[in-house]
Amino acid sequence: MPSVYQDALARARSGVFRPGPDATYADGDDSSWMQIDWPAVTRRLTIEGRSIGVIDTGGDGPPLLFIHGLGGIWQNWLLNIPAFMGSHRCVAVDLPGFGLSEVPAGEISMPGFGRTVDSVCAQLGIEEPVVVGNSMGGFVGAELAVSFPTRVSKLVLVAAAGLSTEYLSREPLLAGARAFMALTARTGLRGSPVVKRPRLRRIALQPIVRYPERLSVPLATELVKGANAPGFMEAFGALMSY
């Protein structure tokens, strides 16, 4: 059987050297988000003494609640929100320690994230949203549905996290996460040529985006704003032990 190292190397090679998207993948037009007045729909709520950043498009349509993943921010949904805001009330939250939201006073945990999202819904008067969670946001959405079952009408899992400490060693993964954080801090991912050059963008963002080279520079710039978030490491540890 291949060693863990060989398996990791094979995955890396697959990610970096795999063939690019065919002609039918996307159309290269990802500018719909640039037509939205985002400051006008940005709100700050106070939950457990901390400021929480929220996008709320308002309206009378059925509510859609978007929850980002580890290292993510509400901007991960920049193409999804414009697609639905004409028919739905779209809400996207920055989890505590990410994006516009302050680090919580207590320990970061998946149940804590769930309580925060429930409080966001309560303050905004949202009763039963369809909850859409990506990666770690899928765990948070599941926690919300389990702990507050009357809050969630439907749960949509988008490439949801599925880590199990029964099969994965926690410490090596935490060490890898620390290395990733150090790398993003040192290279200044937010404003570096990584975002501007398709090949570098593909190498850097391959773990979270299927074809990063197809992203426009403005969209890629928005997506990497979540790099080096203050809550990243603690949230990663909480995810591994959940």
Side-chain angles (χ1 to χ4, degrees):
M1 295 181 64
S3 67
V4 174
Y5 171 78
Q6 290 173 325
D7 181 64
L9 184 61
R11 290 175 181 269
R13 286 174 174 169
S14 175
V16 174
F17 299 112
R18 71 178 58 160
D22 60 39
T24 64
Y25 182 86
D27 59 6
D29 180 13
D30 59 20
S31 63
S32 59
W33 63 276
M34 301 180 74
Q35 314 305 317
I36 309 300
D37 183 2
W38 295 108
V41 296
T42 301
R43 301 184 60 176
R44 284 190 175 273
L45 308 179
T46 300
I47 296 175
E48 297 183 353
R50 291 294 189 267
S51 177
I52 301 295
V54 176
I55 297 299
D56 181 9
T57 63
D60 299 325
L64 279 176
L65 174 62
F66 297 95
I67 307 176
H68 66 77
L70 181 67
I73 45 179
W74 75 261
Q75 285 94 327
N76 291 168
W77 307 104
L78 277 173
L79 299 186
N80 305 91
I81 295 173
F84 287 101
M85 63 185 295
S87 56
H88 292 72
R89 179 182 180 181
C90 294
V91 175
V93 59
D94 274 338
L95 295 171
F98 296 89
L100 300 174
S101 297
E102 292 183 303
V103 176
E107 185 179 56
I108 287 179
S109 68
M110 296 301 112
F113 281 158
R115 290 193 300 271
T116 295
V117 175
D118 177 67
S119 296
V120 167
C121 291
Q123 288 199 30
L124 296 180
I126 298 175
E127 295 295 333
E128 295 180 300
V130 172
V131 177
V132 185
N134 167 237
S135 191
M136 183 184 72
F139 261 149
V140 177
E143 170 64 30
L144 182 69
V146 170
S147 298
F148 306 94
T150 60
R151 176 68 72 191
V152 180
S153 64
K154 296 178 182 178
L155 179 61
V156 181
L157 302 178
V158 183
L163 296 178
S164 171
T165 53
E166 181 180 356
Y167 300 106
L168 299 176
S169 179
R170 187 170 187 265
E171 289 307 316
L173 286 174
L174 287 173
R178 293 189 188 98
F180 172 78
M181 289 298 294
L183 177 63
T184 57
R186 182 170 181 175
T187 60
L189 183 60
R190 299 183 188 186
S192 75
V194 170
V195 175
K196 300 178 181 179
R197 298 179 182 176
R199 291 184 179 178
L200 292 178
R201 188 160 71 242
R202 181 177 185 177
I203 294 172
L205 301 180
Q206 185 71 61
I208 55 174
V209 179
R210 185 65 179 89
Y211 294 114
E213 67 271 26
R214 294 300 297 268
L215 300 179
S216 68
V217 172
L219 180 61
T221 301
E222 292 294 320
L223 295 182
V224 302
K225 286 182 177 180
N228 208 26
F232 182 92
M233 281 307 306
E234 193 173 349
F236 189 90
L239 178 65
M240 286 297 300
S241 60
Y242 179 57

